[in-house]
Structures are given as structure tokens and as C-alpha cells.
Amino acid sequence: MANRRILSVWFPRLGADRLLRRLGDLHGAPFAVLEEGGQMQTISALCPLAEAAGLRVGQPARDAHAMCANLITRPRNAHAEEAFLHALTRWAGRYTPWVAAQPPASLMLDITGCAHLFGGEAALMAQLVEEAGDMGVAALCGLADTPGAAWALARYAGRAAVHDRSGDAIDQEARATRSRAARRRHWERGGAAPGAPPQASAPRIAAPGQTRQALANLPVAALRLDAETVAALARLGLRRIGELTGQPRGPLARRFGRGLLMRMDQALGAAPEPVSPQAAPPRYATRLSLPDPIGLREDVEAALARLIPRLCEMLRAKGQGARAIRLEAYRCDDTMVFAQIGLARPADQPDRIAPLLKMKLDGLDAGYGIDVLRLEATRTEPLHHARPVGHLEAGMMARDRAGRDTALEDLIGRIGARIGLDAITRRHPASSHIPEKCATVHPAAWSGPAASGSWPRPPGDRPLLIWRPELVTAPDVPRPPAQFRWRGAAYDLLRASGPERIAPEWWLDDPEWRSGVRDYWDIVTTGGARLWLFYAHGAALSSGWFCQGQFA
């Protein structure tokens, strides 16, 4: 069986390249992308001009501005960079169908059996780098038999091993050996030997079966090790992979754990490491190209009458229902406007989708005319029309077949098209006897109704409106006051029913209930107002009368 050939594509300046594609020409000014880290901003990506000015990734922003006064910066958007990387994944699919994204800034391609279509491995790599450069994205490639080796070659081929002075540097050695250490040849400490070719020309392709030889001169950081492990290996004098592979495995495992051996085996091919490409998400969209531009509402409705059934057929074929639909109108002046709707329940019936889209047509500006209409279900959920049920439930479903079971969902969808689905809520019972905690609020479109009989029956009536307790000016006695003042108005008592005593949840420290046990009264005033008052007997706070709600 032929060796696998894995190509690693690294985009070292992905964040900066993404923003420069949008910003355009900066008139020769250096550019950097900043990210928040702790109490300061640091550089996450640089343009070539900024690198030439001496800036580096991870440098604090204040130091970068001190070194480069004309530096232009933008904040980092990690989500946008991830989306851009997935777009590059789709682009790389032209070279091989086996492409996997490796956030934050690299791709892994299995090009086994594909290189001859592009003139060989070197030609494929050159074409990929050239096309990425044409898109404004810098790319470095590494090719080997394993993903670990390809990853190492893409990032470290041609780079010198970076050492700190915490290992066997001169200032750490014994006094008797310093004279010999000062005369030690620099290439024995990890530098380049005299007469050796410059490391920038080091090959980034490991021939089949030559992975060990290709990795021997690379630094140990190329094994995807953490910084602490790399520093610990450097203190032992193990700076290159070739020096590490010649060591006994037992002592390495005892000192650094099995993670080091696993990374080394993955790079050399002794341990499997599959390339798992992410499957493209299913897209449910249809479009209609028009022979002449349209601008009348009737024409758009006629186009929707053709697009919506086609989209519903696509959804039913996959057992999906639309929860969010986007209508895009491409105008003849190369601009686009869109309208979006949300549904309270997944739907694949045109008669449930069409009325909501028609409500959005008034806000769709046709401009000089619409050439193309595109309809896409941007959010879908599984929709099962058939499921095993008993005879009783089957009879109930038959009675609801006329459409009464979707009337509430259609109403929520119509109202949500105007004010937003998140503005429509429903209440579910909660396990608490405290009035303001006895229910939880959920978005109506993303939750179902509470089960029948799940609401506990309270001892007394509950008002329609409940708010935070408001002070009532009345005598400090536990009997309902004949006269009281509330919200600046005076009230006379007509009748009162109660009390209903509610104790606080002693296991919780609720600031609203530090006034102790409450006696709730249903108060009707001579003016017709029906209020929900309570008398707090006092605990951490003083006693008194408060108003917390109003009946209908």
C-alpha cells in the first residue's frame, strides 16, 4: 500500500490578512491585530511591514506603538477568523476532497493519489501558495507521510532552534568548565555549522519513507509540545528532534509523561493520527433567475409561489423543518437586500411560510429592479410527521388534523414577524412558594406549553401584575388599614380578604425577604382598585405594609 501523503497549510498571518482584504491599501503603513489578554492588549497577527519593523506576535500593544509610531491596529475577531478559515477549507477542496480545518490558522490535506493531477507534489504546493497569495493570504506548506511531520515542516523548516539561557548556558555552568564552554563551537550549541546552507532554503517536503531524516534537524517544539516541556528539554541539552529520538523512551516517559512520546510517535508514524475532514453542512436553498427585472409586490409574490414549494420539498426530503428563512433579492445594480422571518415551530408547509414572508415584502426595496430571488432555510430542525402512538393519542391527533394544533404557533410566528420572536414569552411553573419565584419566563417560540396540571393551586388568588414590594403608608399593625397611601394617592378600604401567610425560604439569603414572615391580603378600595398588600412582621428589616401586585 502506498504511503499516505499529508499536506499541512499554515497561514501565519491569517488575522491580519483577513482584515487587510477588507481595508485595502494602507499607504505603506504597518498593520497589526490586537487581542485582549489579561490586563493588556497583545499582538496576535502582523503584516509583513510590521514584521520588518521589528514587531512580533505576543508583544504588548504599548511596546509596539512605541517602536512603530505609524502602526495601524484593529481588534481581533476570533469568530470571524474561524469563519474565514472554514471558507479557506472549501477553497482547498479543489486540491483534494479530504480537507480538515485545524483552528486557529491551518489546514490539513490528505493528498494521497492527488498530486499527479497538478504536476507532482512540489507543483501542487507551489500552486496552492500562489493562489493563496492571489487572494491576499500568506501560506506556508509542509508535506510528509504523517500529519505531525507535515505540521512541523510547515512551521519550522528553515527556522533555527530557539534556546533560552536557562539550560547549560555558560552562566549556569561550573566555574571550572567556563573556560572550555567559552571556546565551544556555536554549532554544537544548536547554531548553524560553518559552510552549511542557509536554513531558509531547507526543504519543506519529506520524501516517502524519509520522515525521520527530515525531522532530525528541526527543534523539539516542532513536535507540538507545550512551552514548559520544550524549556525542560532544552535544559537537558535536547533541542532537536534527532537528539530526542535517540534517547531511551523509559526515562523520557517517567520525566515528561506519555504525552511527549505520543507526539513523537505521531510525527514519526508509529502512532495513528487520522485526518478527519468536516462534512459540509447541508444547505436548503433555491433561487429563481428572472428574464427581466421586477419591482412590483405582485411579481415578488408570484416568484415566492414558485420558490416556497420547492424549498419545502427539499426540507421534507431530509426530514427537516425550517425555523428561520432568509429571502435575498439581488438587484440589477449589483446590490442585494434581504428579509428574514422566524417560525415558532419547525415547518415544511408552504401555507405556514408564505404568509410570514408576505408580511416582510413591504420593507423590501426593489431599487432599479430585482434580477434574482434566493430563498434559504438558514436554521432547520428535525421534523417527524409520523411516530408510534396509542389509540387515544391517535384519536386526538385525528381531531386536530384540520390545523387547530398549529394555530397558536402560526399566531406566534405572525406576531414575531413584527416585534421579534424573543419578545413573545410564556410562563412555566417553578418549584417555589415565593410569589415572584413561582414561575419562570421562557421564549414562546423556543419552548412548549406547560404540561396540563403542572401548575400548583395556591391557597389564595394571585394578581395579574406582580412587581417588587412598594412601601405603603399605613399604621404599623397587622390588621388591614382603613386608610392608607400608596404611590402618592390616598385609598379607603372597602373590604379585605385574607390573610395568606408566606414564610421566606430560610435556606436562601434573599434581600427582598429580610423583613420576615408576610401576611398577604386581597384589598378592595372604595375607588374600585383591587390591590395585593402584605404586612411584613419584621426580621432583619423593620415591619410595615407593602403593595406587591394588582388584580385585573
Side-chain angles (χ1 to χ4, degrees), residues 48 59 104-105 130 219 230 240 284 479 545 551:
Q59 185 178 18
E130 181 181 359
V230 173
R240 301 189 181 276
Y284 304 97
R479 297 183 303 275
W545 283 93
F551 294 88

Side-chain angles (χ1 to χ4, degrees), residues 47-62:
C47 74
L49 290 176
E51 292 180 351
L55 305 184
R56 56 180 175 81
V57 175
Q59 185 178 18
R62 59 178 182 270

Side-chain angles (χ1 to χ4, degrees), residues 350-519:
D351 56 347
R352 296 187 60 191
I353 298 174
L356 301 180
L357 281 173
K358 291 179 180 179
M359 295 173 61
K360 293 291 187 177
L361 294 184
D362 292 336
L364 205 65
D365 184 11
Y368 293 102
I370 298 174
D371 284 335
V372 178
L373 284 171
R374 182 176 183 270
L375 192 64
E376 180 183 5
T378 57
R379 179 176 178 179
T380 62
E381 291 182 3
L383 186 62
H384 305 288
H385 291 284
R387 57 187 178 90
V389 297
H391 292 287
L392 179 61
E393 189 174 357
M396 297 174 61
M397 293 174 61
R399 289 192 296 271
D400 291 337
R401 196 170 299 166
R404 292 190 298 271
D405 54 343
T406 62
L408 178 60
E409 287 75 13
D410 292 341
L411 177 62
I412 294 175
R414 287 175 179 270
I415 300 176
R418 296 185 180 275
I419 66 174
L421 288 175
D422 292 337
I424 308 172
T425 59
R426 72 168 88 236
R427 295 169 66 87
H428 279 206
S431 58
S432 178
H433 66 278
I434 303 299
E436 58 267 28
K437 297 181 181 180
C438 64
T440 57
V441 179
H442 302 269
W446 320 116
S447 62
S452 178
S454 60
W455 283 95
R457 180 68 180 174
D461 295 337
R462 291 292 181 264
L464 178 64
L465 300 178
I466 295 180
W467 50 73
R468 292 185 60 184
E470 298 178 359
L471 181 63
V472 172
T473 304
D476 190 5
V477 292
R479 297 183 303 275
Q483 294 180 340
F484 61 91
R485 293 185 62 86
W486 170 63
R487 291 185 177 178
Y491 295 88
D492 295 327
L493 177 66
L494 179 63
R495 65 177 181 268
S497 60
E500 176 190 349
R501 175 161 292 188
I502 299 179
E505 296 172 331
W506 54 267
W507 56 93
L508 297 176
D509 184 16
D510 189 348
E512 301 289 344
W513 281 78
R514 291 177 180 173
S515 56
V517 177
R518 300 177 180 177
D519 288 340

